[in-house]
Amino acid sequence: QVQLVESGGGLVQAGGSLRLSCAASGLTFSRAAMGWFRQAPGKEREFVAAISWSGGDTYYGRSAKARFAISRDNAKNTVYLQMNSLKPEDTAVYYCAARSNSNDYYFTRIYEYDSWGQGTQVTVSS
């Protein structure tokens, strides 16, 4: 059974930084493409960032470019999302997603992932 556990969310002032972590188990992490999505109240879940299983390819959603960085440590079965220069509009629940037994590429669509975490709340105050 695949488990994805996010951590690192919290309350931060605008302009601040947070680092989210997602610990994975129950899958061959080194062959899983990983992604981060977020969902704000009353809005649809949106793509934030993705990384291939080797870590060699990354891709960012429009809102994340130049401010966020996705990375992974296959030895620790963990994917990270470093978020800098946070804005109030970044407030959302952030979800980690995994695509098991993937080819070595990134994926940006919700339906391309087969496992999801429970999410971690990020709140950015103005």
Side-chain angles (χ1 to χ4, degrees):
Q1 182 180 354
V2 177
Q3 274 198 313
L4 302 175
V5 180
E6 302 96 336
S7 61
L11 174 64
V12 63
Q13 287 190 330
S17 298
L18 282 175
R19 189 196 197 201
L20 305 184
S21 299
C22 172
S25 60
L27 77 168
T28 303
F29 186 76
S30 60
R31 289 298 181 269
M34 301 297 295
W36 286 97
F37 291 75
R38 70 185 186 186
Q39 189 166 17
K43 295 189 176 181
E44 294 186 350
R45 192 168 297 191
E46 68 168 343
F47 168 74
V48 176
I51 189 167
S52 62
W53 57 251
S54 70
D57 288 295
T58 59
Y59 193 79
Y60 296 91
R62 198 172 188 178
S63 60
K65 282 180 183 175
R67 297 189 300 128
F68 295 1
I70 188 171
S71 62
R72 65 189 295 158
D73 186 337
N74 286 349
K76 295 183 178 179
N77 284 11
T78 301
V79 63
Y80 306 97
L81 184 68
Q82 177 67 44
M83 304 188 295
N84 301 323
S85 302
L86 284 162
K87 306 174 183 179
E89 49 265 44
D90 293 319
T91 295
V93 177
Y94 283 71
Y95 296 92
C96 171
R99 176 186 170 97
S100 302
N101 301 314
S102 173
N103 49 332
D104 193 17
Y105 199 62
Y106 56 78
F107 298 88
T108 64
R109 293 178 173 81
I110 291 172
Y111 68 83
E112 292 175 316
Y113 290 89
D114 46 51
S115 302
W116 293 83
Q118 293 300 306
T120 185
Q121 176 70 46
V122 171
T123 302
V124 184
S125 63
S126 56

